[in-house]
Amino acid sequence: MVSAERGQTKFQINLRRYLRESDVDRDLTRIICEIANASKYIINAIRTGDLGVAGTSNLYGEQQLALDVLSDRIIQKRLMHSGVIANMASEEIDGIIPVTVPTNGRYSVAFDPLDGSSLVDVNLAVGTIVSIYEGDNLLQSGRNQVAALYVLYGPRTTMVVSTGNGVHEFAMNLIMEFDLVQENIKLEGPAKIYAPGGLRSKYTEGTEKFVRSLEESGTKLRYSGGFVPDINQVLIKRGGVFMYPHLTDSPEGKLRLLYELNPMAFLIEQAGGAASNGKQRILDIDPENLAQRAPVFIGTKEAVALAEQFIREEES
Ligand code: FDP
């Protein structure tokens, strides 16, 4: 196993080599590297592309930006021609995307091509989220994922990935390849920061009590409005909690189980954290449809357990 501590990398170890030396299956490595390649084009689109609307809406009725549509096309195309995909689904598209090129693909991929795209015009960070399963079934619980990753387009472009063997961070270098920055990221100690999504006036009593307890124990508010950077800070700062809870007018919250919550829950659990909908482990939810939403409390184990406790009390 290659190893590196943050900022002390003696030799640049790139993503492909890291995966190969970690004995990750060839086809799975291919998928992860295809996403790495796609991200080069997405980052260019973010930097210089059209910020306008596409004139279409996604399956949730949300207006699509030109950048959403473009990022989706970039990823679809790379995955389609990788030859290793059985099935794929995108947060931007209704239903399964048929793989129309000949393939013996053994993997299925669900992705959110550009999460937080409404933040690009205010120049805040956004990301791509990817969830990978073996076989052709995308409608199964998240605990069956074989890999998950996100790419964060911030001041730097980074990829955080897990193939079920810890969570590792890579950063895009001058020639747009990903080099290992740190491996086996672990959440440790109490939550230092919290990121609360959703309108607080719509929080239920249990969530409100949870937030107050975080504030009273000195946990700092750090919310960017982008799911990827908000999860990234929990991981990289080694502790914290993100929530987008059930709201009084939206019992399922906002975030999507397949495209957003399952991959992030996989990564956070791999780092020793937890992810819950307030009552149940996110990765144990059996999805009924691709577009399903769920509330989420995700991050340091103790903080997530505390959220569950307040929510249990609210119900009793
Ligand atoms: P966005 O709608 O801008 O794409 O998943 C969508 C998301 O952003 C997350 O990145 C973010 O955490 C959340 O929605 C923010 O939701 P609100 O608009 O309700 O604040």
Side-chain angles (χ1 to χ4, degrees):
M1 176 65 101
V2 279
S3 89
E5 273 176 43
R6 191 174 192 130
Q8 297 180 354
T9 319
K10 284 193 183 133
F11 306 104
Q12 299 298 343
I13 301 152
N14 76 25
L15 178 66
R16 187 180 302 278
R17 182 177 149 209
Y18 185 84
L19 295 171
R20 198 176 56 226
E21 292 185 8
S22 308
D23 289 328
V24 174
D25 174 76
R26 258 183 70 184
D27 290 356
L28 185 53
T29 298
R30 175 84 194 258
I31 296 170
I32 296 168
C33 291
E34 289 293 351
I35 301 294
N37 275 323
S39 72
K40 298 180 196 173
Y41 297 92
I42 296 176
I43 185 87
N44 272 334
I46 294 169
R47 282 185 184 146
T48 58
D50 177 2
L51 290 183
V53 294
T56 48
S57 50
N58 65 14
L59 66 151
Y60 303 93
E62 297 163 347
Q63 203 171 56
Q64 285 174 307
L65 298 179
L67 277 178
D68 287 319
V69 175
L70 185 58
S71 309
D72 179 55
R73 278 203 203 129
I74 292 168
I75 295 183
Q76 268 198 47
K77 197 166 173 193
R78 295 215 74 105
L79 292 179
M80 184 74 77
H81 294 281
S82 68
V84 297
I85 299 290
N87 251 331
M88 59 179 153
S90 163
E91 201 231 18
E92 295 300 329
I93 304 283
D94 196 358
I96 297 282
I97 302 163
V99 176
T100 50
V101 297
T103 172
N104 293 319
R106 291 189 293 117
Y107 291 98
S108 294
V109 181
F111 57 93
D112 182 354
L114 198 60
D115 185 85
S117 52
S118 63
L119 296 171
V120 176
D121 62 352
V122 289
N123 215 1
L124 284 171
V126 293
T128 295
I129 312 174
V130 178
S131 159
I132 307 173
Y133 293 87
E134 208 162 345
D136 61 4
N137 182 14
L138 277 169
L139 217 50
Q140 53 180 313
S141 61
R143 64 172 176 270
N144 299 334
Q145 287 168 106
V146 291
L149 65 92
Y150 61 77
V151 180
L152 173 59
Y153 313 102
R156 287 168 178 251
T157 301
T158 56
M159 177 188 282
V160 170
V161 58
S162 176
T163 55
N165 205 356
V167 184
H168 320 300
E169 185 193 21
F170 296 80
M172 195 181 263
N173 64 22
L174 255 181
I175 54 165
M176 297 189 107
E177 287 181 352
F178 284 95
D179 290 327
L180 181 64
V181 178
Q182 53 181 333
E183 58 178 347
N184 286 318
I185 299 167
K186 288 284 173 215
L187 302 185
E188 51 206 27
K192 303 174 227 2
I193 52 171
Y194 75 103
L199 212 54
R200 188 155 174 185
S201 59
K202 307 269 168 135
Y203 281 9
T204 60
E205 199 188 323
T207 311
E208 181 55 36
K209 281 187 179 159
F210 174 54
V211 169
R212 253 184 266 139
S213 87
L214 289 171
E215 287 169 349
E216 279 158 18
S217 62
T219 316
K220 284 186 178 169
L221 175 71
R222 288 279 188 277
Y223 183 67
S224 81
F227 189 41
V228 179
D230 283 334
I231 289 292
N232 190 64
Q233 62 173 348
V234 168
L235 269 172
I236 303 302
K237 297 287 186 201
R238 301 289 194 277
V241 62
F242 171 94
M243 72 194 91
Y244 203 113
H246 50 300
L247 303 173
T248 49
D249 61 352
S250 166
E252 295 308 315
K254 175 180 183 191
L255 301 184
R256 290 85 175 177
L257 181 62
L258 267 84
Y259 304 107
E260 295 167 315
L261 301 186
N262 276 338
M264 290 308 198
F266 185 84
L267 290 166
I268 290 283
E269 283 202 6
Q270 282 290 321
S276 166
N277 66 0
K279 295 175 187 158
Q280 186 188 7
R281 181 184 175 218
I282 290 288
L283 294 181
D284 282 342
I285 299 174
D286 285 321
E288 285 164 17
N289 58 69
L290 293 172
Q292 194 163 325
R293 300 174 194 263
V296 68
F297 300 84
I298 177 168
T300 302
K301 250 186 192 158
E302 295 70 26
V304 174
L306 189 63
E308 282 182 327
Q309 187 189 319
F310 280 118
I311 285 156
R312 250 193 322 271
E313 286 168 10
E314 121 188 330
E315 305 231 316
S316 60

